[in-house]
Structures are given as structure tokens and as C-alpha cells.
Amino acid sequence: PWHQYRAGDCEYGIQCFLKKTPGTGPGELPPGRRLEENKKRGIIRELGVIDFQNFINLPDGYRLIPFSPAHFYLYDYSEIERASFAAFPGYLEWLTAQSQIGPSATAMRGGECVMSFGLVPLLPGVLELWMLRGSGLRHHGRPFLRSARQFFDALGTVPDLRRVQFTVHTQNFAGVRFAEWLNFDIEGTLRQLLPGGSDAFQMSRIY
């Protein structure tokens, strides 16, 4: 199963994914279809990686690139995250679909993936955040963390945006702390939401 691959198996994972999606690049939809999907969800302005660059001032040595499903294999996940992925064999396909609906990007330093994230339009004025981050994120220090928070501060300038929401495993303490650093608040517990019947916190940031 794909969730048993190690980071070193990235090349094999890329080839497997490409074989499953002939004729379409990883994480991409034709521009017309992507814009159409966003319009259905009330998003007037389509955000892309270039727009992400305008929202965030990354420290020297960091850059944003378009998200690719291959980036999934490059993170050192926590035990809780690995267990969740193992309980959801179709997670990579689900994540790929999410990244196609809304804007997504990966923050890099050199050849290292630091964090991948994306925004999925749910309702007019409401976005769902997804995120991939490894245990190494804590080693990147406050300059990068401040840049991440700056990004969510700047999202408040998007016309008609009123809410960004995010779910995180109740036992993923590092993930909860990081979301709180980004000024997300816990709204409640979604019981047995995650694969395997685990609970998740519903977190949100209101603009």
C-alpha cells in the first residue's frame, strides 16, 4: 500500500501516481474547469501560486511551488498521522482531488518540503484548509512560522471571505498548537469523523 512507502520511495510513488492519471498532470485541472468549479462555490477570484506569493513574505531561502501529490512522500509524519493514513487507503486520491478544486502550494527550502497546503471552496465566503506538515517543521524557527501566520492574516483581504475552517485529530497536539498559532480557534469535537473512528477538532478562523 502507498502509505507504507518511505520518503526514499518518492520516485516509485510518482511513477505509480502518473500511471493512475493518464493525460493529466498531478494536482492539475484544465483552467476552464478549475475556474468553473470555483465559480460554483462562490469564489469570484481564482487564487493560484502567484497570488500565494503575494500573500506571504517568506524568509530568505524559502520558496513556494505548485503542490504535487508526489510531495506527500517527502514528509516525516507523526505516529498519529501515519495511523490515520493507514486507515484511509484512498487518502492520496482524495487529497489530489482536493488540490484540484482550490489553490494549493508547497513551501520549500532547498530540496526540502516544509509544508503543503491548500484551500477548498465549500460555500460562498467559506474555505476549507488542508495541510501536510512533517515533524521537521518545528526546526524551521519563528521566521517561517511568522510567515505562515502572515498568510492567514492576509487572507482577510479576499473579498467576501468570512471563514476558513480546518479539522485536526484531537491527539495531534503539535497540529493543534500550530493551528492555534495561526489564530484558529477550537469550535468543538467531531466525534468519530476520521478513519478508524477517531475524533477531530473543528477549528476555524473568522474574518
Side-chain angles (χ1 to χ4, degrees):
W2 61 264
H3 62 264
Q4 293 180 358
Y5 298 147
R6 300 164 299 174
D9 298 317
C10 177
E11 182 177 354
Y12 178 72
I14 293 173
Q15 296 303 318
C16 287
F17 183 81
L18 291 177
K19 290 178 182 178
K20 292 180 181 178
T21 54
T24 303
E28 293 294 329
L29 274 180
R33 182 180 169 192
R34 191 175 199 182
L35 183 57
E36 180 182 350
E37 291 293 327
N38 282 346
K39 286 181 178 179
K40 288 179 182 177
R41 291 163 176 80
I43 301 299
I44 299 174
R45 175 185 176 195
E46 184 182 23
L47 301 177
V49 172
I50 294 178
D51 290 304
F52 277 173
Q53 296 276 17
N54 294 334
F55 279 126
I56 187 170
N57 182 23
L58 289 171
D60 291 341
Y62 292 83
R63 60 194 173 97
L64 286 184
I65 65 172
F67 171 73
S68 165
H71 299 161
F72 173 84
Y73 298 97
L74 302 180
Y75 292 100
D76 179 21
Y77 298 105
S78 68
E79 182 177 347
I80 289 175
E81 290 168 323
R82 290 196 300 270
S84 294
F85 297 150
F88 187 178
Y91 178 79
L92 185 55
E93 288 76 12
W94 175 87
L95 178 64
T96 301
Q98 298 292 94
S99 69
Q100 292 174 343
I101 295 172
S104 58
T106 295
M108 303 281 296
R109 186 178 68 174
E112 177 188 2
C113 289
V114 180
M115 183 175 70
S116 299
F117 61 101
L119 297 166
V120 179
L122 294 181
L123 296 166
V126 180
L127 299 174
E128 176 87 22
L129 168 69
W130 62 263
M131 185 184 304
L132 297 176
R133 49 176 292 278
S135 60
L137 180 63
R138 65 180 182 272
H139 301 305
H140 289 271
R142 287 189 174 271
F144 177 79
L145 296 178
R146 282 195 296 268
S147 294
R149 186 160 63 181
Q150 175 199 20
F151 169 79
F152 288 98
D153 292 343
L155 274 183
T157 64
V158 174
D160 302 322
L161 178 65
R162 65 178 188 272
R163 173 186 174 92
V164 177
Q165 64 183 45
F166 177 62
T167 57
V168 58
H169 197 297
T170 55
Q171 299 301 306
N172 187 351
F173 304 121
V176 172
R177 287 195 300 270
F178 184 54
E180 290 177 333
W181 165 260
L182 300 176
N183 290 322
F184 282 74
D185 296 318
I186 296 175
E187 293 183 322
T189 301
L190 302 175
R191 295 182 296 175
Q192 299 190 35
L193 173 73
L194 301 178
S198 299
D199 296 341
F201 287 132
Q202 176 73 70
M203 305 186 72
S204 70
R205 177 164 174 171
I206 305 300
Y207 292 91

